Amino acid sequence: MNFKQEESEAMISQMVRDFAEKEIRPNVMHWDEEQIFPRELFSKMGELGLMGVLVPSAYGGAGLGYYEYISCIVEISKVCGSIGLSVAAHNSLCTNHILEFGNEEQKQKYLPKLASGEWVGAWGLTEANTGSDAMRMKCTAVKDGEHWIINGTKNWITHGISGEVAVVLVRTGDLLDSHGITAFIVERDTPGFRGGKKENKLGMRASETAELIFEDCRIHESQILGKVGDGFVQAMKILDGGRISIGALSLGIAKGAYEAAVQYSKEREQFGKPISQFQAIAFKIADMSTDIEAAELLLLQAAHLKNSKKKLTKESAMAKYYASEVAVRVATEAVQIFGGYGYTKDFPVEKFYRDSKLCTIGEGTSEIQKLVISREILK
């Protein structure tokens, strides 16, 4: 595996870096404190290809691979984890599910709108009492001629209120049947479908997280992705790629916190010299840098397998697990290096600290990743 960054990848990274500095950084704390989901920003990112990074050019996307995708998420997340999370969820979950499992008509209809940023996508698997235990979901669809009637609620859904379209996993068969779940594409203006409660979160506050509510929502059978009963198997494959997304989000947060801490350690003086010259601080920086390098290598390995269309369940889980824990460790140490200033909103590391924790929870907790990894090793 050659992880040397190609010139095109470096150019893409620089483009995203410049965009983030101009369009995101000046607004980060305002969006965070007011819990504003900056919808217009996503239209601008669509113009740059950031809303359809993996979508082929035939459907209006950028047609790039997972190395470039990681670079894009990292550069955004170095500035704002919330925006990185929303871009990741839009690309890797909703858009990618349609790309991977949609028929040609569905791809032609939805991918250009999603890739351009005209539409923002949501993806609904989780429910209030079924997080990782997805096969016990209570949101159901009952067949009625050529239509299906959906009833139930999905929770913790990124873009649950603002997303113009959602891919939703719904039980169409028996409880605990892995072939009893089906994926539907549901447009926002469909009668019986609406957004619900918006969550008031510790971090990632500019990334909208809300309920999806279905009340006798009639969906035509043409909106089914793949076959009836394929939804759970599809979701597990989508989550393999999604873990690369959250790993990249984690890596970006870690890099952002690390870079801020290194810069501060060189500027802040105590006892007549910069604090970076004290071994206690220098060793923290060494540990942070080493963790970041290791997390990045795990991510690139998973990206290589994904680009090669090889199985990556174990490797993507390892990358997500390790990178998310690194994000928390690095952000924590960054706050410590900043001292009292790190605990204030005048400096960036307190937000990295708050945002980082989501990475160990979303798209499968660290404990679930260890379960996935161990099963892959021991089966």
Side-chain angles (χ1 to χ4, degrees):
M1 291 177 283
N2 179 14
F3 295 148
K4 185 176 183 292
Q5 193 177 53
E6 299 291 336
E7 184 178 353
S8 59
E9 189 184 340
M11 289 173 63
I12 291 166
S13 294
Q14 187 62 55
M15 176 196 73
V16 180
R17 194 176 305 130
D18 292 342
F19 177 85
E21 288 296 329
K22 179 183 177 184
E23 301 288 346
I24 299 175
R25 192 178 294 281
N27 303 296
V28 165
M29 291 312 296
H30 172 60
W31 293 339
D32 180 77
E33 292 179 355
E34 300 298 325
Q35 299 193 61
I36 294 168
F37 176 64
R39 177 63 183 85
E40 67 286 350
L41 178 74
F42 291 82
S43 297
K44 293 181 180 179
M45 288 192 287
E47 294 173 7
L48 293 180
L50 298 176
M51 300 295 279
V53 180
L54 303 165
V55 176
S57 57
Y59 302 112
L64 300 172
Y66 270 80
Y67 292 143
E68 293 87 355
Y69 178 55
I70 287 172
S71 296
C72 292
I73 300 298
V74 166
E75 292 300 336
I76 294 169
S77 306
K78 280 166 64 177
V79 176
C80 181
S82 294
I83 305 304
L85 172 61
S86 278
V87 174
H90 169 92
N91 274 280
S92 71
L93 298 178
C94 178
T95 304
N96 201 43
H97 200 139
I98 296 171
L99 176 63
E100 292 281 342
F101 297 105
N103 58 38
E104 188 59 29
E105 184 179 347
Q106 291 166 339
K107 291 178 184 179
Q108 292 282 0
K109 181 177 182 180
Y110 292 108
L111 292 180
K113 291 181 179 180
L114 289 164
S116 68
E118 178 185 347
W119 282 13
V120 168
W123 192 77
L125 175 66
T126 305
E127 298 180 9
N129 295 310
T130 57
S132 302
D133 190 10
M135 284 195 291
R136 293 182 194 271
M137 67 173 58
K138 296 179 180 177
C139 187
T140 60
V142 178
K143 190 167 174 54
D144 179 24
E146 293 183 352
H147 290 80
W148 290 77
I149 313 299
I150 303 178
N151 280 285
T153 304
K154 295 292 178 178
N155 294 69
W156 298 104
I157 309 305
T158 305
H159 315 139
I161 295 169
S162 297
E164 284 84 1
V165 65
V167 172
V168 186
L169 285 302
V170 182
R171 186 158 61 81
T172 52
D174 295 332
L175 203 67
L176 301 179
D177 179 6
S178 63
H179 294 285
I181 294 170
T182 303
F184 292 86
I185 305 173
V186 187
E187 295 183 23
R188 175 59 60 185
D189 59 1
T190 305
F193 174 45
R194 61 186 171 89
K197 175 192 173 187
K198 179 180 176 179
E199 302 296 343
N200 185 9
K201 309 191 297 292
L202 168 71
M204 302 292 193
R205 291 166 62 82
S207 179
E208 178 186 276
T209 307
E211 294 176 314
L212 298 178
I213 298 173
F214 299 90
E215 296 171 323
D216 293 329
C217 180
R218 290 178 65 85
I219 303 295
H220 192 265
E221 60 187 7
S222 63
Q223 296 299 97
I224 292 173
L225 279 161
K227 298 178 181 177
V228 172
D230 282 355
F232 183 78
V233 175
Q234 291 175 6
M236 294 305 101
K237 291 179 180 176
I238 292 301
L239 286 172
D240 279 348
R243 287 171 184 140
I244 295 176
S245 288
I246 301 301
L249 170 66
S250 305
L251 181 62
I253 290 171
K255 285 189 173 187
Y258 167 77
E259 289 173 9
V262 169
Q263 181 179 345
Y264 181 81
S265 74
K266 292 177 180 179
E267 296 170 352
R268 171 69 165 170
E269 291 191 0
Q270 291 286 274
F271 305 103
K273 59 183 178 180
I275 62 172
S276 60
Q277 293 184 21
F278 291 97
Q279 191 179 77
I281 301 300
F283 278 17
K284 285 183 186 295
I285 290 170
D287 285 339
M288 293 159 80
S289 180
T290 303
D291 274 347
I292 287 170
E293 290 281 341
E296 189 159 23
L297 286 169
L298 282 171
L299 267 174
L300 292 172
Q301 175 182 244
H304 170 73
L305 292 172
K306 185 67 175 173
N307 283 339
S308 303
K309 300 189 179 340
K310 295 179 180 176
K311 181 175 170 60
L312 71 153
T313 301
K314 180 186 74 174
E315 290 80 4
S316 65
M318 284 180 168
K320 192 273 186 188
Y321 164 54
Y322 190 76
S324 64
E325 294 291 340
V326 163
V328 173
R329 285 201 299 272
V330 169
T332 301
E333 291 289 44
V335 171
Q336 197 71 15
I337 289 170
F338 271 77
Y341 290 114
Y343 206 64
T344 72
K345 293 183 181 293
D346 296 328
F347 291 84
V349 290
E350 71 86 29
K351 183 176 183 297
F352 287 126
Y353 181 70
R354 287 186 289 109
D355 287 349
S356 67
K357 191 57 195 166
L358 182 277
C359 299
T360 69
I361 299 169
E363 292 196 37
T365 62
S366 291
E367 290 74 20
I368 288 295
Q369 303 311 318
K370 287 193 273 190
L371 184 65
V372 171
I373 294 163
S374 60
R375 280 178 176 173
E376 287 296 310
I377 293 168
L378 299 172
K379 71 181 182 182

